[in-house]
Amino acid sequence: MIEIRNAVIITNSDTGDVIKNAVVQVANGKIAYAGAAEHAPDFEAQRVIDAHGNIVMPGFVNMHTHVPMNLFRSYADDLDLMTWLNTRIFPAEDRLTEESAYWASMAAMCELAASGTVAFNEMYFFIDSIAKAAQESGLRAFLSRAVVTPAPGVGERMLDESEELFHKYDGKGRLRVFMSPHAQYTVENSMLEKIAEKAKKLGTGVHMHISETRGEHENCVQEQGMTPIELCKSVGLLDVPFYAAHCVWVSEHDMELMAEHGGTVLSCPKSNLKLASGIAPLSKMMEKGISVTFGTDGASSNNKLSMMEEMTYASFLQKGTTYDPKVMPAVQALKMATRGGAEALGLESGVIEAGKNADIIMLRTDGIRYTPDYDPVSLVVYAGSDADVCMTMVGGDIIYENGTFSFADIDEVKAKIAEYAEDMKRI
Ligand SMILES: [Zn+2]
């Protein structure tokens, strides 16, 4: 039972209400009341937080992550995707252990919580380590074991593992489990088909990298006579909830297929820029009715897990590439980074209103960048930064507040990461 008083609420509601001098009451993990102070019901709060005019809003939903890659931040930069993967990342990943993956994930949990993220959609391996870190953190996590088919039998083993992980973690606390073909260029068609069948059987979704680079897209057309998304449709992957990371290189037909089948695009604008993959045509996708959300990708290709930056970049990139400043306004970018992801994942959050999960964050507004305050949404999207986040609450639990984590000793996490990084330096 927590009551936040004297807040400015960005509700994210359909009408886009911003409520000043507001109160948020939280009970049993949910928002019991959110609105004007004068209408707030009596409430037996165990803790009262005076927001001092700070902004309270829905937390961010990071739709595409590889959290153990926090260990590879600044390890390999300024390379194209394939060189980066083959010469740097794959050899480094060979050195990961359950323990180092856990601590790297824990570092990511701290970064996510401290930058206002309440849920993340993960694709990697070492899922037990990631699940452990996620459960300890309290963040909502959608986990998927990436399946690849480099040699006969390997993909099958990974798919079996995916199913075991599904039974082990799906629905446990705040965890859900998806199936995951890593990408079209790393997975054989027959395995893509098996993964679609498995997801259908288990009643879960599929998380996959799609058309990230021009080369990947064009090779697929040349070798298979279809684009990656057309191929996904042909093997049944669009018949399950489909979470497609990147979609930088997509045809008109690809976009029509995604719209028709209700697929969700997980756009990672900063990662696509850093790896020089390109700029996804998000405004066009949205015109066609596709659900477009944001992710950061891993800390080695971004290099931050900052949803605040993703929404700002996305908005500016769409304006810049369409020559239209009206495209992706602040209110829309903020919704995509929060409510958009929540709805795509089926979370009862993303809006500050009674009955929703209390997945909410608070942003300090006493800094110079929040002055003057004509439009709080504009301030967050165009002038805000991760450093403004002073509280992150998931399901009514405060997991981060003013530099302190409820689940981790940040000095211990940093020391562990430094220790494992020494091993990586020896490659
Ligand atoms: Zn990725």
Side-chain angles (χ1 to χ4, degrees), residues 64 66 209 246 297:
H64 183 63
H66 310 290
H209 292 110
H246 303 305
D297 217 350

Side-chain angles (χ1 to χ4, degrees), residues 192-193 196 200 210 226-239 242 253-254 256-258 260-261:
L192 293 177
E193 213 164 318
K200 218 176 281 180
I210 289 280
M226 287 180 270
T227 67
I229 289 179
E230 288 167 348
L231 181 66
C232 286
K233 166 156 170 57
S234 76
V235 295
L237 282 168
L238 298 192
D239 298 333
F242 188 61
H253 188 228
D254 288 341
E256 281 154 20
L257 285 175
M258 285 292 284
E260 196 183 309
H261 291 268

Side-chain angles (χ1 to χ4, degrees), residues 181-237:
H182 170 265
Q184 177 274 323
Y185 61 91
T186 47
V187 184
E188 284 171 5
N189 292 358
S190 57
M191 178 52 69
L192 293 177
E193 213 164 318
K194 283 181 194 162
I195 293 172
E197 279 164 23
K198 190 71 79 186
K200 218 176 281 180
K201 187 189 110 184
L202 298 172
T204 191
V206 163
H207 182 179
M208 181 176 180
H209 292 110
I210 289 280
S211 290
E212 181 172 358
T213 63
R214 189 207 291 249
E216 165 198 342
H217 185 85
E218 288 177 354
N219 281 348
C220 184
V221 172
Q222 209 162 29
E223 287 164 15
Q224 314 242 17
M226 287 180 270
T227 67
I229 289 179
E230 288 167 348
L231 181 66
C232 286
K233 166 156 170 57
S234 76
V235 295
L237 282 168

Side-chain angles (χ1 to χ4, degrees), residues 29-268:
K30 296 198 181 287
I31 298 169
Y33 172 82
E38 63 262 36
H39 303 306
D42 288 341
F43 190 68
E44 288 288 321
Q46 278 144 343
R47 183 173 170 206
V48 174
I49 299 172
D50 187 344
H52 296 291
N54 285 341
I55 288 171
V56 168
M57 58 170 261
F60 295 109
V61 179
N62 190 333
M63 292 295 282
H64 183 63
T65 56
H66 310 290
V67 290
M69 293 190 86
N70 263 50
L71 187 52
F72 308 136
R73 171 178 283 140
S74 82
Y75 174 71
D77 294 315
D78 309 324
L79 299 168
D80 67 88
L81 177 68
M82 294 307 163
T83 313
W84 175 76
L85 279 177
N86 292 321
T87 69
R88 301 290 287 158
I89 295 303
F90 290 154
E93 286 179 337
D94 284 344
R95 293 228 173 183
L96 273 176
T97 61
E98 288 289 349
E99 217 204 7
S100 59
Y102 163 77
W103 284 102
S105 301
M106 199 41 116
M109 297 307 111
C110 293
E111 189 177 354
L112 290 167
S115 56
T117 292
V118 293
F120 65 102
N121 187 26
E122 170 75 11
M123 178 208 289
Y124 210 62
F125 41 111
F126 292 111
I127 297 297
D128 286 315
S129 301
I130 300 169
K132 184 169 182 272
Q135 278 176 316
E136 288 173 10
S137 75
L139 285 159
R140 300 188 193 279
F142 292 72
L143 309 173
S144 58
R145 200 272 182 244
V147 172
V148 291
T149 53
V154 175
E156 277 74 10
R157 279 201 297 279
M158 291 177 174
L159 184 56
D160 288 345
E161 194 192 323
S162 302
E163 183 166 6
E164 281 164 30
L165 290 164
F166 179 86
H167 295 303
K168 193 167 173 186
Y169 296 118
D170 191 68
K172 301 275 158 38
R174 295 173 182 158
L175 303 185
R176 291 291 319 274
V177 177
F178 290 152
M179 299 295 112
S180 173
H182 170 265
Q184 177 274 323
Y185 61 91
T186 47
V187 184
E188 284 171 5
N189 292 358
S190 57
M191 178 52 69
L192 293 177
E193 213 164 318
K194 283 181 194 162
I195 293 172
E197 279 164 23
K198 190 71 79 186
K200 218 176 281 180
K201 187 189 110 184
L202 298 172
T204 191
V206 163
H207 182 179
M208 181 176 180
H209 292 110
I210 289 280
S211 290
E212 181 172 358
T213 63
R214 189 207 291 249
E216 165 198 342
H217 185 85
E218 288 177 354
N219 281 348
C220 184
V221 172
Q222 209 162 29
E223 287 164 15
Q224 314 242 17
M226 287 180 270
T227 67
I229 289 179
E230 288 167 348
L231 181 66
C232 286
K233 166 156 170 57
S234 76
V235 295
L237 282 168
L238 298 192
D239 298 333
V240 295
F242 188 61
Y243 300 94
H246 303 305
C247 297
V248 177
W249 297 90
V250 284
S251 67
E252 288 284 327
H253 188 228
D254 288 341
M255 289 189 257
E256 281 154 20
L257 285 175
M258 285 292 284
E260 196 183 309
H261 291 268
T264 302
V265 170
L266 325 177
S267 182
C268 305

Side-chain angles (χ1 to χ4, degrees), residues 206-379:
V206 163
H207 182 179
M208 181 176 180
H209 292 110
I210 289 280
S211 290
E212 181 172 358
T213 63
R214 189 207 291 249
E216 165 198 342
H217 185 85
E218 288 177 354
N219 281 348
C220 184
V221 172
Q222 209 162 29
E223 287 164 15
Q224 314 242 17
M226 287 180 270
T227 67
I229 289 179
E230 288 167 348
L231 181 66
C232 286
K233 166 156 170 57
S234 76
V235 295
L237 282 168
L238 298 192
D239 298 333
V240 295
F242 188 61
Y243 300 94
H246 303 305
C247 297
V248 177
W249 297 90
V250 284
S251 67
E252 288 284 327
H253 188 228
D254 288 341
M255 289 189 257
E256 281 154 20
L257 285 175
M258 285 292 284
E260 196 183 309
H261 291 268
T264 302
V265 170
L266 325 177
S267 182
C268 305
K270 278 186 66 196
S271 172
N272 297 155
L273 287 177
K274 182 161 180 274
L275 295 169
S277 302
I279 298 166
L282 303 185
S283 48
K284 210 170 195 183
M285 292 176 185
M286 292 166 80
E287 271 169 31
K288 291 192 183 288
I290 300 172
S291 152
V292 177
T293 60
F294 303 136
T296 56
D297 217 350
S300 190
S301 65
N302 186 311
N303 293 359
K304 299 181 192 170
L305 308 185
S306 166
M307 287 296 291
M308 193 82 97
E309 289 193 4
E310 295 305 322
M311 69 179 171
T312 312
Y313 269 68
S315 173
F316 288 173
L317 285 168
Q318 293 307 304
K319 294 174 195 305
T321 49
T322 58
Y323 306 106
D324 182 357
K326 296 188 291 303
V327 165
M328 205 180 284
V331 68
Q332 187 177 34
L334 189 72
K335 267 193 191 155
M336 292 166 76
T338 53
R339 183 175 168 178
E343 285 176 352
L345 293 172
L347 293 172
E348 283 294 311
S349 53
V351 185
I352 304 288
E353 68 183 27
K356 297 285 183 188
N357 283 328
D359 295 351
I360 64 185
I361 62 173
M362 193 192 294
L363 273 60
R364 292 179 67 124
T365 55
D366 57 353
I368 195 66
R369 282 183 290 97
Y370 284 80
T371 307
D373 63 347
Y374 304 116
D375 180 351
V377 174
S378 162
L379 289 173

